[in-house]
Amino acid sequence: MLEYKAGWYGREVIAVDRWYPSSKTCSSCGALAEKLPLDVREWACRRCGAAHDRDVNAARNILAAGLAVSACGDGVRPPRS
Ligand SMILES: [Zn+2]
């Protein structure tokens, strides 16, 4: 449904990999938190100190990932260490 409705409005749907660490990646500096249990709704980045609401931070990261795919053809899979 999302894809055909996006087509009505000339928009593009980009699926982000389900394992992309959108919640535990700092949307300010890109640092990755080691663990972030589901009951932790707010957290602070250890690298830059930015305070995050879990869902708002995830939304920012998903938007950035989608824009990176759209603009640069970047991938949306989680980075491999
Ligand atoms: Zn940070």
Side-chain angles (χ1 to χ4, degrees):
M1 272 195 284
L2 197 57
E3 289 186 350
Y4 79 75
K5 288 187 178 186
W8 291 350
Y9 300 101
R11 307 299 287 196
E12 180 183 10
V13 174
I14 296 168
V16 176
D17 188 279
R18 66 180 296 197
W19 301 112
Y20 179 71
S22 59
S23 295
K24 62 182 187 179
T25 300
C26 174
S27 59
S28 296
C29 74
L32 193 62
E34 288 185 21
K35 290 185 178 180
L36 197 62
L38 281 174
D39 64 330
V40 176
R41 307 311 303 172
E42 295 177 343
W43 62 282
C45 175
R46 287 187 173 197
R47 185 197 290 171
C48 73
H52 296 295
D53 172 278
R54 181 191 189 98
D55 296 333
V56 171
N57 181 62
R60 287 183 177 140
N61 285 327
I62 290 168
L63 174 61
L67 290 173
V69 171
S70 181
C72 310
D74 196 11
V76 289
R77 294 196 173 273
R80 302 269 182 217
S81 55

